Amino acid sequence: MTIKVLIVDDSAVVRQVLSQVFSQATGMTVMDVATDPIAAMEKMKQQWPDVIVLDIEMPRMDGITFLKQLMASRPTPVVICSSLTQKGTDISMQAMAAGAVEVIAKPMAGVKGFLEESANQLVQAVRSAAAARMNRVRVMPSAGGATLGGGAPPGGLAPTSNPLETRPKLSADAILSAPTGGNMFATTERIIAVGTSTGGTQALETVLTALPRTCPGLAIVQHMPEKFTRSFAERLDSLSQIEVKEASNGDRILPGRALIAPGGKHMMIKRSGAFYLVEVVDGPLVSRHKPSVDVLFRSAAKFAGKNALGIIMTGMGDDGAKGLKEMHDCGAKTIAQDEESCVVFGMPKEAIRLGAADEVMSLDTIAKAICR
């Protein structure tokens, strides 16, 4: 199936560059472009898109209001394409909470060059969104206003190969050598390593807000652009009993604390005596992501072994599947989110296929498993 994309952005340059990027991708077509949500509504009366690429700050109606109306009337996959300013990232987090399934960061200046260089990321974001099962996305109540149409949302669009991707797909070997399989001596410290992608922002909110302050410390990789992870962590911190923060190099993994890998950096678990900390490093993309779940899980396998629990949740692709298998083989307990509760059953599916998961469970039961 061809993925029909509607681009809603008041910048003519952004509309032009995005149209060119998506038109060149196999299995993807630009259905139409619109300068603001009001114009988009008119176009959607004639034809409904599979994915909407949406700016936030636009004339006549802002993107958040449009998104809420859309999700209340006819849930449709939305990719937010927002600026890198602090204001932009905060508002984009509101959009993710309201039902957007992916977020792409764009700079305030040099937008044309950035979008052209980020073609691979843009195409993959749209493919991930198209594969999302919108009935699994929790959305905020509508802000009111006109409805946008009826009928069932698109679903079941399978991702196709990306001809724009020319770089080799690197494994965790690019950052950290494989574990040797030696026994890791036991400690009273227990840690949780979590990896997720598309649909993960809301999945993590479900899990973290259900955890008590006495829970083991968590190290988390959520595929998200640079600068967005800080706003994401701050939002979760405000909603949770536990402390949630964007990780800094050397932060300890402590009970009642969740550390989220910064966008654009890899995060590894390291051991210092009887306790654990995180190391935040730069490096190449691993499994075409930075941060990479495979890097986090490999470090947990190598330095924590049976003292760790590995959890892989909703997401497109296979990042984390091999790393979870390494954790499993080094004695860690491992969990994969089940298909029924995933927005995109990609990463957990690959982990299950490799025999990496000791248990497969629904999203609502993962917090209880962490506490056990």
Side-chain angles (χ1 to χ4, degrees), residues 239-309:
L239 298 173
S240 306
Q241 295 182 55
I242 66 172
E243 177 193 8
V244 184
K245 71 182 294 284
E246 183 185 59
S248 296
N249 191 46
D251 279 347
R252 277 193 61 182
I253 305 174
L254 297 169
R257 168 188 270 188
L259 300 174
I260 296 180
K265 300 285 186 180
H266 292 298
M267 184 172 75
M268 296 183 289
I269 294 170
K270 291 295 181 74
R271 187 162 179 168
S272 177
F275 61 84
Y276 294 94
L277 50 82
V278 295
E279 182 178 355
V280 177
V281 299
D282 203 350
L285 301 179
V286 171
S287 298
R288 301 205 172 105
H289 292 285
K290 187 167 64 171
S292 164
V293 182
D294 270 327
V295 170
L296 174 69
F297 284 174
R298 170 170 285 189
S299 69
K302 188 167 186 175
F303 297 108
K306 61 185 178 182
N307 298 323
L309 167 66

Side-chain angles (χ1 to χ4, degrees), residues 22 90 147 150 154 189 255 348 350 370:
F22 298 139
D90 291 343
T147 59
E189 292 283 332
E350 288 301 308
I370 290 174

